[in-house]
C-alpha cells in the first residue's frame, strides 16, 4: 500500500492506549502510563503565542479542493493567534507543481514548515535540505515519505481506514447489502486515499452480493470526476451506490447524476465540509465523516510554535504521530460540527 503500514501501526497503537485508559478508568494510573512513555502527564498547559514573530512555510495538495482551502484559512487564523506569519505554497493538485513549489521553499529560511503532500515520497530531496538546516518539518494528513526516510518533527493525520469503512458501511446499509457499486478514488500516491480504499474494500468483502464496477482515481479533481462519471453512467445502467474519497468529488458526481436523471444512486464521501454536511441533512448523501482540516492545520501551527519557542523535540515532548479524529455526520452532530468548522476548531 505504498507506506500505509506504519500509519496503521501507529493508529493501532493509539487505539490500544485508548482502550487501556477506558478499561482502567483511573486518572492517576493513566498519567503514570503517559509519564512512563516520556510525555508530560499534566492535564493541560498554557498555549502560548510566540513572543517574537515567527515565519512558517505551509502548504497542502491544492486549494482547488475545499478541504485544502479551509485548512489554509484555519492555519492563518491560528497563525494570527500565535504570532506566526505564514507563507503558503500551493500544490495545485499536481505532484510536479508541488515539487517545484517546495524546491523554492527549500531555498529560504523558515522557523518551521508544515505540508500535506500530494503523493508519498515526492518531496524527499527538498524536505531533507530543510530538515538538515535544523528546521522542524510537520507532515499533515498524508505520509510525507515511507518510514525512516525523513526525520520529521511529527505527523498529524486522521484514521483514513476508519473513515473509508464507516461511510462504506452506511452505503451498504442503504442499498441492502447488494448491487453494483463504484469507488472513485483520490490520488493513488496519497496515503489517505490508500487508507480510504482499504476501508472500503474491507467492508465490501463482507457482502458477497455486492459487485465493484469501477475504482478509477480522479485525483481530487472535480472536472475529472465529471468526465469519469459521464462515462460510467453511460456504461452502467444499474449502479446502486458509490463511495468517493472526498465530498467535493461526491457532489460533483451527483450533479452529473442529476443531469442524467440517475439520482437514485446512494452516495457517500469523506471530509464533512459544510456543503456535504447539508447534503446529508437533506438526503442527497447518505453519509460523510469529518476529516478535521482545522484541527490538522491548526495543530500543525501549534506544534511548530512549541518546537521553536518551547524547544519540544520529536519523540520526546511531542509524539511522532498525532491522531486527528473527527465524527461521522448525523442529523444530531451536524449543527455542532458546522459551528466548530466555522470557528476553525474541527
Amino acid at each position: 500500500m505504498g507506506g500505509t503500514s506504519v500509519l496503521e501501526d501507529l493508529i493501532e497503537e493509539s487505539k490500544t492506549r485508548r482502550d487501556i485508559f477506558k478499561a482502567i478508568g483511573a486518572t492517576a494510573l493513566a498519567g503514570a502510563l503517559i509519564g512512563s512513555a516520556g510525555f508530560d502527564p499534566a492535564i493541560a498547559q498554557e498555549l502560548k503565542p510566540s513572543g517574537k514573530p515567527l515565519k512558517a512555510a505551509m502548504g497542502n495538495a491544492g486549494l482547488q479542493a475545499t478541504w485544502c482551502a479551509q485548512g489554509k484559512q484555519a492555519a492563518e487564523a491560528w497563525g494570527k493567534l500565535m504570532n506566526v506569519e505564514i507563507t503558503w505554497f500551493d500544490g495545485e493538485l499536481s505532484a510536479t507543481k508541488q515539487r517545484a513549489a517546495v524546491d523554492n521553499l527549500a531555498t529560504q529560511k523558515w522557523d518551521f514548515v508544515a505540508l500535506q503532500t500530494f503523493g508519498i515520497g515526492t518531496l524527499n530531496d527538498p524536505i531533507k535540505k530543510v530538515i538538515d538546516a535544523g528546521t522542524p518539518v510537520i507532515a499533515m494528513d498524508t505520509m510525507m515519505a515511507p518510514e525512516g526516510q525523513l526525520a520529521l518533527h511529527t505527523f498529524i493525520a486522521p484514521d483514513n481506514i476508519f473513515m473509508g469503512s464507516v461511510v462504506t458501511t452506511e452505503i451498504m446499509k442503504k442499498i441492502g447489502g447488494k448491487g453494483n457499486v463504484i469507488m472513485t478514488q483520490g490520488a493513488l500516491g496519497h496515503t489517505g486515499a490508500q487508507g480510504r480504499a482499504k476501508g472500503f474494500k474491507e467492508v465490501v468483502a463482507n457482502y458477497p452480493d455486492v459487485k465493484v464496477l469501477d475504482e478509477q482515481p480522479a485525483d481530487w479533481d472535480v472536472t475529472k470526476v465529471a468526465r469519469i462519471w459521464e462515462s460510467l453512467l453511460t456504461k452502467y445502467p444499474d449502479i446502486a451506490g458509490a463511495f468517493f474519497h472526498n465530498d467535493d468529488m461526491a457532489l460533483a458526481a451527483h450533479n452529473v447524476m442529476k443531469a442524467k436523471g440517475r439520482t437514485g444512486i446512494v452516495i457517500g464521501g469523506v471530509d464533512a465540509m459544510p456543503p456535504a454536511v447539508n447534503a446529508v441533512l437533506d438526503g442527497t448523501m447518505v453519509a460523510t465523516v469529518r476529516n478535521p482540516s482545522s484541527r490538522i492545520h491548526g495543530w500543525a501551527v501549534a506544534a511548530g510554535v512549541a518546537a521553536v519557542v518551547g524547544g519540544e523535540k520529536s519523540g520526546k515532548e511531542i509524539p511522532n504521530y498525532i491522531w486527528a479524529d473527527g465524527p461521522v455526520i448525523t442529523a444530531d452532530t451536524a449543527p455542532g460540527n458546522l459551528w466548530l468548522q466555522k470557528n476553525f476548531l474541527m
Side-chain angles (χ1 to χ4, degrees):
M1 292 287 289
T4 58
S5 59
V6 62
L7 178 55
E8 293 169 24
D9 291 343
L10 289 165
I11 290 167
E12 191 59 38
E13 180 181 348
S14 175
K15 290 177 180 176
T16 301
R17 288 178 178 170
R18 293 198 307 277
D19 291 342
I20 289 171
F21 295 152
K22 288 178 183 176
I24 294 171
T27 303
L29 186 52
L33 287 170
I34 297 172
S36 68
F39 300 110
D40 186 354
I43 292 174
Q45 64 183 23
E46 186 178 354
L47 188 65
K48 293 181 179 179
S50 174
K52 65 173 184 177
L54 298 182
K55 292 183 64 178
M58 296 186 69
N60 52 29
L63 295 177
Q64 301 99 307
T66 60
W67 187 91
C68 292
Q70 184 186 62
K72 179 176 183 288
Q73 290 178 321
E76 291 169 345
W78 279 66
K80 288 178 182 178
L81 290 173
M82 303 197 75
N83 202 15
V84 178
E85 178 187 334
I86 295 169
T87 302
W88 202 260
F89 292 83
D90 184 18
E92 299 185 60
L93 297 183
S94 164
T96 303
K97 291 179 180 179
Q98 185 178 52
R99 174 57 186 264
V102 176
D103 281 337
N104 177 29
L105 176 161
T107 65
Q108 303 174 56
K109 176 63 178 175
W110 309 98
D111 290 300
F112 67 89
V113 171
L115 293 169
Q116 176 209 31
T117 54
F118 186 77
I120 187 170
T122 58
L123 305 177
N124 283 22
D125 290 344
I127 290 301
K128 190 174 186 303
K129 291 178 184 177
V130 174
I131 293 170
D132 288 347
T135 305
V137 176
I138 298 154
M140 302 187 296
D141 183 61
T142 185
M143 288 183 70
M144 191 172 288
E147 183 180 10
Q149 290 190 3
L150 293 173
L152 298 170
H153 184 65
T154 192
F155 174 35
I156 305 171
D159 183 341
N160 285 286
I161 298 172
F162 163 79
M163 293 196 295
S165 65
V166 293
V167 174
T168 305
T169 296
E170 293 303 311
I171 294 170
M172 293 299 109
K173 289 179 184 177
K174 190 71 173 180
I175 67 175
K178 59 184 179 181
N180 297 324
V181 299
I182 287 170
M183 173 172 61
T184 299
Q185 303 193 65
L188 295 183
H190 183 286
T191 59
Q194 293 168 7
R196 292 169 205 182
K198 183 172 182 178
F200 168 84
K201 291 176 181 179
E202 286 180 351
V203 171
V204 170
N206 297 316
Y207 293 90
D209 294 328
V210 168
K211 181 180 180 181
V212 179
L213 300 176
D214 189 88
E215 299 181 358
Q216 289 182 70
D219 300 327
W220 320 113
D221 187 332
V222 295
T223 303
K224 188 177 290 186
V225 169
R227 290 199 303 267
I228 288 172
W229 272 86
E230 285 277 356
S231 175
L232 291 174
L233 292 172
T234 301
K235 185 176 181 180
Y236 299 113
D238 180 18
I239 303 171
F243 170 57
F244 298 84
H245 283 192
N246 78 359
D247 294 325
D248 289 355
M249 296 193 299
L251 294 174
H254 174 72
N255 288 336
V256 179
M257 296 173 195
K258 188 175 180 181
K260 289 184 171 290
R262 300 281 295 276
T263 54
I265 300 171
V266 175
I267 65 173
V270 171
D271 285 344
M273 294 297 294
V277 175
N278 288 317
V280 171
L281 289 173
D282 69 21
T284 299
M285 293 176 64
V286 68
T288 185
V289 61
R290 180 61 177 161
N291 182 8
S293 179
S294 299
R295 283 181 171 177
I296 291 170
H297 290 80
W299 292 357
V301 174
V305 172
V308 177
V309 178
E312 287 193 352
K313 302 299 182 184
S314 179
K316 295 181 179 179
E317 293 84 9
I318 188 169
N320 295 318
Y321 168 69
I322 298 172
W323 177 37
D325 59 319
V328 179
I329 299 303
T330 65
D332 291 333
T333 62
N337 187 269
L338 289 172
W339 182 87
L340 290 167
Q341 288 192 53
K342 183 175 68 174
N343 290 282
F344 303 122
L345 296 171
M346 172 65 73

